[in-house]
């Protein structure tokens, strides 16, 4: 499940989480406007950095210990999709809770970016991610509806099995700065695509405190047993199969249409089979 | 009271309830001072803005001043003739108002540079103008505050407004330059920076009058032509993204204007432009893509799901709601999530491609339908159901694009035929041969 992200070219059928762009997709990527302006000054064009993340919540019913206002203990979080440390990219995360909570604006300054609380209600949490200054000066919002109660109303709540709701998404930086790019080019949490030919990056500045960095990942997180493993392989297979079907059908229809066109031209007399 | 008895509720619960109900009721009573109907107009609530307190309006001025009115004489600095007039003046505490007549400050006039005779000899001679004429012009300019229409009217020899303007402005400009040969300040003076261009002015006025005098027909024609030009410009821009195309349109538009000045003549440059090749559909799609990508770029950071949504919106903006629903239905039939569960870059790209292909598929199906419907009148044969035939082709094709899961194929078709049998079909022409003419749904054997 480890995210091998450094510039490899992945085909469609390789079941890896990281998905750097195959050539055909790169061509679509807005190259048309900016190819002539390919200055390597501060930003590299045509290079897009993406960070796969998973965000959501895990909620445990408190069972006997539940009170009227605190029936569940829940944790809302943003983590790297392969549980890598997001701290190199995200400076801090702000979780905006329901106004009925004390200090509803909770700031988490270091990874793992998560927040635990106890309550009884489900509501929308706005997670604002602030990035380091060389990454992006604009924050990004994620919206997550806190889920405490299981989908199936009839299933009994258990204190051992939590309700887990996770979503996969990717943070995309379409025009990363050179500084950012060089800093994270080998970072496990980051997808860096193949660089355009002739472009080289300065080597990354070595991190001073390696041990400090490691703590930010969620690989050994206490709740990690409930994490969902998102693999793009299944989805890609599904899509490829669907596309094949559609393409075959399209070919058929085209044949039929040309057949009919031929028939019309002849002022066809008797009905014929295909 | 009786109700409470009937219900058996204790009677002493009534007074405390009474107290509670009164305070909320107070707020619903209308305030005094406005009639009930007027209050109801506002919806029974207080107005949003505090209204003026009418009692304020009746306030009297501070009464420690003693105000009287006197019949006094005035002189105004605006007048040059020392005329003394009289009027009522508000006198406060016995002190008449000081200062100039209050309206004198509105007597403004234009500064007109006057030249001396030497200056005229040196800089301002002009073959078309005599000195007397120029003198007269300047005198009138001063008198009438540069209102050239009036000046032109009063001018002894007949000169057009533009000629007068030109003479005046060129003289003033020359004077300015002569008097301040090396001064940098006047370089920003409007006269120096933007000299009066008589030909431009004439042209402008002519064009304006033409536009104003256009007949309704001409207006309509011009609109059509402009729309056509716009469309061609759009296609050119999308075909090759460069500035030249925009320049070409601008110059075309310019050509148009001059062409139009000859009334009744058709605009000739444009029809030649219309013969440009039509754009292939794919390039218009790539423009949409490019513009969505450009707008995403501006965000500097965004979520993959957001980007996918934007692309979907852009793609579906050209399709109707029904088409979108059909695409989504097809996706479901194919067993594909409408919103990818793992939206990586490649998954999103595949998803978009799939949607595009489904759109193509639906279009082709429609095409086929039409072609077959067209073809029917040509066909002889054992069909007796010509009036009812359109119904055949609506069989199960509208909503269910095809059967994705091969194993379902046979069952589904069977079911649908059974349903439609009663209304659509007439007795003979048994289903199997008829069905074979219709585009077949996908079955397991097809793969």
């Amino acid at each position: 499940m480890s995210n091998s992200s450094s510039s490899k070219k992945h085909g469609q059928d390789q079941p890896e989480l990281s998905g750097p762009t195959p050539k055909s997709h790169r061509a679509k990527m807005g190259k048309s406007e900016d190819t002539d302006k390919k200055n390597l000054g501060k930003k590299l064009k045509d290079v897009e950095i993406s960070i796969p993340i998973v965000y959501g919540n895990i909620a445990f019913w408190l069972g006997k210990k539940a009170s009227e206002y605190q029936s569940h203990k829940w944790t809302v979080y943003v983590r790297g999709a392969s549980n890598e440390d997001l701290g190199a990219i995200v400076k801090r995360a702000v979780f905006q809770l329901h106004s009925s909570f004390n200090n509803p604006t909770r700031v988490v300054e270091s990874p793992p970016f998560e927040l635990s609380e106890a309550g009884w209600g489900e509501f929308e949490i706005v997670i604002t991610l602030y990035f380091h200054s060389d990454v992006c000066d604009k924050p990004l919002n994620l919206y997550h509806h806190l889920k405490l109660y299981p989908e199936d109303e009839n299933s009994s709540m258990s204190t051992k099995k939590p309700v887990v709701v996770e979503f996969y998404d990717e943070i995309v930086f379409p025009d990363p700065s050179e500084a950012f790019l060089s800093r994270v080019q080998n970072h496990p949490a980051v997808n860096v695509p193949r660089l355009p030919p002739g472009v080289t990056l300065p080597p990354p500045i070595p991190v001073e405190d390696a041990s400090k960095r490691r703590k930010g990942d969620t690989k050994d997180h206490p709740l990690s047993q409930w994490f969902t493993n998102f693999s793009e392989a299944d989805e890609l297979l599904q899509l490829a199969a669907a596309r094949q079907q559609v393409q075959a059908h399209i070919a058929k229809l085209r044949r039929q249409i040309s057949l009919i066109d031929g028939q019309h031209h002849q002022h066809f007399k008797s009905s014929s089979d295909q | 009271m009786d109700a409470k008895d009937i219900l058996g509720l204790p009677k002493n619960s009534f007074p405390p309830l009474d107290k509670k109900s009164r305070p909320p009721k107070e707020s619903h009573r209308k305030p005094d001072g406005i009639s009930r109907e007027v209050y109801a107009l506002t919806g029974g609530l207080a107005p949003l803005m505090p209204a003026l307190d009418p009692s304020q309006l009746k306030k009297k001025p501070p009464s420690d001043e003693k105000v009287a009115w006197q019949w006094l004489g005035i002189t105004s600095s605006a007048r040059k003739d020392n005329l003394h007039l009289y009027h009522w003046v508000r006198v406060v505490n016995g002190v008449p108002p000081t200062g100039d007549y209050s309206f004198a400050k509105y007597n403004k006039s234009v500064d007109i540079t006057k030249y001396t005779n030497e200056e005229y000899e040196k800089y301002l001679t002009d073959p078309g103008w005599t000195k007397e004429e120029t003198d007269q012009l300047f005198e009138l300019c001063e008198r009438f505050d540069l209102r050239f229409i009036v000046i032109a009217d009063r001018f002894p020899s007949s000169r057009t407004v533009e000629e007068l303007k030109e003479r005046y402005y060129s003289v003033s400009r020359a004077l300015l330059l002569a008097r301040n040969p090396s001064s940098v300040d006047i370089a920003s003076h409007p006269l120096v920076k933007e000299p009066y261009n008589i030909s431009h002015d004439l042209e402008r006025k002519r064009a304006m009058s033409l536009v104003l005098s256009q007949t309704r027909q001409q207006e309509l024609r011009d609109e059509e032509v402009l729309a056509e030009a716009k469309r061609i410009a759009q296609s050119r821009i999308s075909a090759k993204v460069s500035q030249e195309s925009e320049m070409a349109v601008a110059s075309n538009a310019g050509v148009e204007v001059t062409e139009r000045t000859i009334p009744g003549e058709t605009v000739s440059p444009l029809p030649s432009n219309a013969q440009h090749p039509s754009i292939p559909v794919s390039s218009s799609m790539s423009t949409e893509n490019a513009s969505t990508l450009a707008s995403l770029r501006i965000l500097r950071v965004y979520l993959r799901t957001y980007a996918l949504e934007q692309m979907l919106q852009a793609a579906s903006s050209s399709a109707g709601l029904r088409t979108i629903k059909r695409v989504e239905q097809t996706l479901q039939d194919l067993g594909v999530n409408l919103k990818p569960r793992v939206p990586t870059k490649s998954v999103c790209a595949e998803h978009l491609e799939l949607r595009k292909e489904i759109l193509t598929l639906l279009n082709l199906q429609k095409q086929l339908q039409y072609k077959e419907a067209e073809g029917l009148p040509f066909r002889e044969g054992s069909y007796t159901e010509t009036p009812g035939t359109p119904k055949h082709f609506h069989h199960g094709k509208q909503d269910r694009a095809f059967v994705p899961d091969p194993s379902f194929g046979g069952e589904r078709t069977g079911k649908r035929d059974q349903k439609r049998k009663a209304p659509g079909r007439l007795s003979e022409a048994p289903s199997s041969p008829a069905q074979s003419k219709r585009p077949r749904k996908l079955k397991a054997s097809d793969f």
Side-chain angles (χ1 to χ4, degrees), chain A residues 12 16-22 25 28-34 43-48 50 53 55 131 135-142 167-175 228-232 234-236 238-254 256-257 260-261 263-264 267-274, chain B residues 241 286 289-291 293-294 296-307 311 330-331 333-337 339-354 356-358 360-365 367-368 370-372 374-376 378-383 401-406 435-442 446-447:
Chain A
Q12 286 179 11
E16 291 276 342
L17 245 190
S18 57
T21 45
H25 295 296
K28 268 210 281 180
M29 242 187 62
K31 234 187 188 177
S32 47
E33 315 108 291
D34 290 327
K43 296 208 166 186
L44 287 165
K45 309 281 180 178
D46 292 355
V47 178
E48 169 188 289
S50 60
I53 56 165
Y55 64 94
F131 305 102
V135 174
C136 184
D137 49 1
K138 241 186 78 177
L140 183 66
N141 284 335
L142 299 166
F167 293 100
Y168 175 95
D169 212 325
E170 297 187 342
I171 306 177
V172 182
F173 298 99
D175 270 332
T228 325
N229 183 7
F230 288 92
S231 153
E232 66 170 354
D234 296 329
E235 198 120 33
L236 280 177
Q238 211 183 51
L239 286 169
R243 281 188 73 184
Q244 242 193 352
Q245 278 198 334
V246 174
Q247 281 162 6
H249 206 202
I250 287 179
K252 264 194 166 290
L253 288 179
R254 288 214 166 113
Q256 287 174 349
I257 288 178
I260 291 192
D261 280 344
Q263 288 174 353
H264 282 181
H267 275 281
F268 188 81
K269 274 182 257 168
S270 59
S271 46
S272 78
D273 209 334
Q274 306 182 58
Chain B
V241 185
S286 68
N289 247 354
S291 63
L293 282 168
L296 285 173
R297 259 209 151 112
I298 292 174
L299 291 177
R300 283 182 282 152
V301 60
Y302 55 86
L303 282 172
R304 184 75 67 193
T305 46
Y306 175 77
M311 304 276 232
T330 316
L331 281 171
D333 291 341
L334 288 164
V336 170
N337 299 323
K339 281 195 184 171
R341 196 170 153 261
V342 188
T344 66
K345 193 175 179 121
S346 33
V347 165
C348 289
E350 285 289 299
H351 190 93
L352 283 168
E353 287 298 308
L354 179 61
K356 271 195 241 171
E357 285 173 0
I358 293 178
T360 316
L361 178 69
L362 294 175
N363 285 337
L364 280 178
Q365 282 185 333
Q367 235 189 2
L368 192 58
Y370 289 154
K371 290 219 179 261
E372 294 200 330
E374 271 176 16
L376 279 173
F378 292 139
R379 287 196 190 164
E380 309 166 347
S382 51
Y383 271 120
F402 56 63
V403 184
D405 196 342
Q435 215 180 9
S436 66
K437 282 186 186 53
R438 235 170 287 125
R440 283 167 40 222
K441 298 181 199 50
L442 225 46
D446 291 345
F447 290 113

Side-chain angles (χ1 to χ4, degrees), chain A residues 7-264:
Chain A
S7 35
K8 262 194 282 178
K9 185 180 168 190
H10 283 248
Q12 286 179 11
D13 25 42
Q14 280 194 22
E16 291 276 342
L17 245 190
S18 57
T21 45
K23 268 203 187 128
S24 57
H25 295 296
R26 295 270 308 282
K28 268 210 281 180
M29 242 187 62
K31 234 187 188 177
S32 47
E33 315 108 291
D34 290 327
T35 1
D36 25 38
K37 289 197 224 159
K38 207 184 271 189
N39 57 335
L40 298 175
K42 282 208 84 183
K43 296 208 166 186
L44 287 165
K45 309 281 180 178
D46 292 355
V47 178
E48 169 188 289
I49 286 188
S50 60
I51 322 257
I53 56 165
V54 173
Y55 64 94
N57 74 268
I58 294 181
F60 284 92
W61 183 48
L62 292 173
K64 277 189 297 191
K65 300 188 200 150
S67 71
E68 195 184 332
Y69 291 110
Q70 299 205 333
S71 59
H72 287 75
K73 190 162 163 16
W74 49 264
T75 310
V76 62
Y77 54 86
V78 181
R79 63 176 173 90
S82 49
N83 293 316
E84 295 290 347
D85 184 7
L86 291 177
I89 299 106
V90 178
K91 189 162 68 172
R92 67 172 182 277
V94 177
F95 295 86
Q96 184 69 34
L97 304 178
H98 191 265
S99 46
S100 58
F101 278 88
N102 236 352
N103 300 326
T105 314
R106 306 284 172 92
V107 183
V108 180
E109 296 282 358
S110 65
F113 298 104
E114 63 182 37
L115 176 72
S116 297
E117 258 290 353
W120 58 270
E122 299 183 339
F123 54 89
E124 183 179 82
I125 303 179
V126 185
I127 310 171
T128 315
L129 298 175
Y130 292 86
F131 305 102
H132 289 289
S133 44
D134 65 336
V135 174
C136 184
D137 49 1
K138 241 186 78 177
L140 183 66
N141 284 335
L142 299 166
Y143 301 91
H144 176 66
H145 187 88
L146 183 71
K147 195 134 176 42
L148 303 178
Y149 302 96
E151 276 292 339
D152 181 11
E153 284 177 13
N154 295 328
S155 73
S156 55
M157 304 202 283
S158 102
T159 53
K160 298 275 166 51
K161 198 152 173 278
V163 170
V164 180
V165 175
E166 285 192 319
F167 293 100
Y168 175 95
D169 212 325
E170 297 187 342
I171 306 177
V172 182
F173 298 99
D175 270 332
S177 67
E178 246 198 68
F180 177 37
L181 199 55
S182 60
R183 180 159 71 83
V184 297
Q185 54 185 319
N186 290 321
H187 197 287
V190 181
N191 278 345
V192 179
R194 181 134 47 96
L195 297 171
V199 177
T200 49
L201 292 173
I205 307 163
V207 176
E208 307 85 18
D209 203 344
S211 61
K212 201 168 170 213
R213 238 170 127 233
R214 286 223 54 208
K215 267 196 281 172
D217 67 33
T218 43
K219 296 202 170 129
D220 300 318
H221 197 275
L223 294 172
S224 58
Q225 58 175 302
W226 307 111
F227 289 167
T228 325
N229 183 7
F230 288 92
S231 153
E232 66 170 354
D234 296 329
E235 198 120 33
L236 280 177
L237 269 172
Q238 211 183 51
L239 286 169
R243 281 188 73 184
Q244 242 193 352
Q245 278 198 334
V246 174
Q247 281 162 6
H249 206 202
I250 287 179
K252 264 194 166 290
L253 288 179
R254 288 214 166 113
R255 282 205 294 278
Q256 287 174 349
I257 288 178
S258 58
L259 199 66
I260 291 192
D261 280 344
Q263 288 174 353
H264 282 181

